[in-house]
Amino acid sequence: VTNLGWAERDRIVGRKSERDVKTDQFRWQLADALAEVDDPRSLKILGSLLDDEEASVRMSAASALLEQSDPQTPDLLVVALGKDYGAEQDVSRNPEIHAAILRRLVLTFPDHPATDRALSSASASESPSVQLLAMAATRDRSATAEGT
């Protein structure tokens, strides 16, 4: 996810005014800084950055959420799962970012109700790879539940 963000940031510099670039840069750097601190107070800010008009800022916010461990994080990750992260050379970034979000939910918050919502949502994804990941995770969860 982070590599995609850097590529998008490089493109922004070439197509916006200096003032707009600095404003965008401030917002993505804010998200990057919040990724470094696992603090529940950052969740509200990261949630608002998921609604940013700039794809690089949304990617930075999603990436930062992947580093959070607060029990409220999964709900925001489900929101992030529904966001559009733009395209690079006409190829959507969504499958890679959505897959990272889904993996984080399944591995870190397996028993959280938001994980079930995310798996349900991802099974209807436009991306076959995200659909496959959701189906595999759902199958594994079912097998684990049957074994207990």
Side-chain angles (χ1 to χ4, degrees), residues 8-86:
E8 178 64 15
R9 292 171 186 180
D10 288 343
R11 271 188 289 290
I12 288 171
V13 171
R15 64 182 157 94
K16 288 190 167 190
S17 72
E18 184 177 346
R19 179 176 185 258
D20 289 343
V21 168
K22 287 184 185 227
T23 302
D24 291 346
Q25 183 180 17
F26 172 77
R27 294 191 317 274
W28 79 58
Q29 286 177 335
L30 173 61
D32 289 348
L34 292 174
E36 298 295 321
V37 293
D38 187 7
D39 187 330
R41 296 174 295 179
S42 67
L43 294 179
K44 185 174 181 177
I45 298 166
L46 291 171
S48 68
L49 291 174
L50 285 174
D51 291 326
D52 198 276
E53 64 188 33
E54 189 56 55
S56 64
V57 175
R58 293 191 304 274
M59 282 189 288
S60 292
S63 180
L65 284 170
L66 294 174
E67 303 301 322
Q68 306 301 308
S69 63
D70 187 82
Q72 294 179 348
T73 301
D75 292 317
L76 282 173
L77 287 170
V78 171
V79 172
L81 193 61
K83 297 297 179 180
D84 178 27
Y85 298 98

Side-chain angles (χ1 to χ4, degrees), residues 123-144:
S123 67
S125 171
E126 294 178 9
S127 166
S129 60
V130 174
Q131 287 178 2
L132 181 62
L133 183 59
M135 288 188 291
T138 300
R139 183 200 67 220
D140 290 349
R141 289 163 55 96
S142 296
T144 301

Side-chain angles (χ1 to χ4, degrees), residues 64-123:
L65 284 170
L66 294 174
E67 303 301 322
Q68 306 301 308
S69 63
D70 187 82
Q72 294 179 348
T73 301
D75 292 317
L76 282 173
L77 287 170
V78 171
V79 172
L81 193 61
K83 297 297 179 180
D84 178 27
Y85 298 98
E88 184 173 344
Q89 298 177 359
D90 296 326
V91 177
S92 175
R93 294 185 189 98
N94 292 344
E96 184 173 342
I97 296 168
H98 290 171
I101 292 167
L102 199 56
R103 281 190 300 270
R104 175 70 171 170
L105 281 164
V106 169
L107 295 174
T108 308
F109 303 101
D111 299 323
H112 196 285
T115 301
D116 292 331
R117 292 193 313 273
L119 288 170
S120 177
S121 171
S123 67

